[in-house]
Amino acid sequence: MEQNGGLITAAAGMTEIDQNVITKFLAQLPEKALGLGIRVILAAVVFFLGLQIIRFLRRIVGKSLARTNADKGVVQFLDSLIKVGLTAFLILMIAISFGLDAASVMAMLGSVGVAFALALQGSLSNCAGGVLILLLKPFVVGDYIIEGNKGQAGTVTEIQLFYTKLQTPDDTVITLPNGSLANNNIINYSAVSTRRMDVTVGISYDADLKEAKRVLLEVLANDAYVLQDREYKVFVQELADSAVLLTVRCWFQNEDYWDGRARILERCKLMLDENGIAIPYPQIDVHVEEKK
């Protein structure tokens, strides 16, 4: 009986202690909640101010690089790197301010970094590809390129940390991974200030070949955007099944190429028509033998 009475007394004492702990916790809860709320608000304010400081630093770096005439792709790449790196550092500092141990956080980041390195090999490859593109400069912002993997073509508008953006002539934006660009063939049509145009024009076998060449050469000589200091010419490319194929060759400045090509094609057709030189349709001669 005495033992049971002791157990009952001990249980009653523990219940009283538990009630005191709960009462104390509830009494301190508003104060702790207020303190946590204040810390959360301060963290949000620090995060907002940190983002403004990061934007300010990005602007300073951008203006400094602009004064040194740095390549636009380098500016865009460094801007992306600064934005990602400083934002990650800001989040880490805020996490440490909430009581996380810095050594533990760094150790955790190291482990997470290894895991991410294994899981995100493609992204790391893209980042390395971006660095190679900026160092080796197979193209820069403003160049018209064709990549060798799928033949995507367009004008380079941005070179970022992981991706490069192209704008096509019909204003479609193509986003390509830097890793793929760094490891594939690149055709750069803007590396040289001029570009050669070759177009094929077919004339009838019955047409006067010399007259046709004279007319086409006259088209080139009278075009304001054809570079007259570069050799332009018209020559027989092939004796095809239905036509004599002539190549019309000239040079333009890069920015005049597409308009010039369309204009030359139109003028060739009009001038051949004016001079009575036929452009034949594909045809097949069929011979039918009569049965005797």
Side-chain angles (χ1 to χ4, degrees), residues 26-43:
L26 291 175
Q28 295 176 346
L29 183 59
E31 182 181 353
K32 290 182 177 181
L34 179 62
L36 179 61
I38 292 174
R39 293 178 66 184
V40 169
I41 292 173
L42 288 176

Side-chain angles (χ1 to χ4, degrees), residues 202-256:
I203 64 171
S204 169
Y205 272 96
D206 296 330
D208 186 333
L209 177 59
K210 291 183 179 180
E211 178 66 11
K213 291 178 67 175
R214 184 196 67 77
V215 169
L216 296 176
L217 283 171
E218 186 178 339
V219 170
L220 298 179
N222 293 330
D223 190 275
Y225 292 95
V226 172
L227 298 180
Q228 302 297 320
D229 59 339
R230 301 292 298 268
E231 182 184 12
Y232 59 85
K233 56 185 176 179
V234 178
F235 57 90
V236 177
Q237 173 185 319
E238 183 183 353
L239 300 177
D241 293 337
S242 303
V244 178
L245 301 182
L246 303 178
T247 293
V248 179
R249 174 174 293 173
C250 65
W251 298 82
F252 291 105
Q253 292 291 339
N254 251 316
E255 59 271 19
D256 299 327

Side-chain angles (χ1 to χ4, degrees), residues 75 112 132:
V75 175
V112 172
L132 288 175

Side-chain angles (χ1 to χ4, degrees), residues 140-191:
V140 297
V141 172
D143 285 353
Y144 184 87
I145 67 170
I146 298 178
E147 57 90 22
N149 186 19
K150 295 184 179 179
Q152 304 278 17
T155 301
V156 180
T157 57
E158 294 182 36
I159 304 174
Q160 295 189 352
L161 188 59
F162 298 106
Y163 296 96
T164 292
K165 291 185 178 181
L166 307 182
Q167 184 174 354
T168 65
D170 60 349
D171 284 342
T172 301
V173 176
I174 302 173
T175 303
L176 299 173
N178 288 335
S180 174
L181 287 174
N183 291 291
N184 278 293
N185 297 328
I186 299 292
I187 301 174
N188 189 339
Y189 286 101
S190 303

Side-chain angles (χ1 to χ4, degrees), residues 9-39:
T9 303
M14 292 181 65
T15 301
E16 184 177 352
I17 293 174
D18 291 340
Q19 290 177 348
N20 291 335
V21 170
I22 293 172
T23 302
K24 185 177 180 181
F25 173 77
L26 291 175
Q28 295 176 346
L29 183 59
E31 182 181 353
K32 290 182 177 181
L34 179 62
L36 179 61
I38 292 174
R39 293 178 66 184

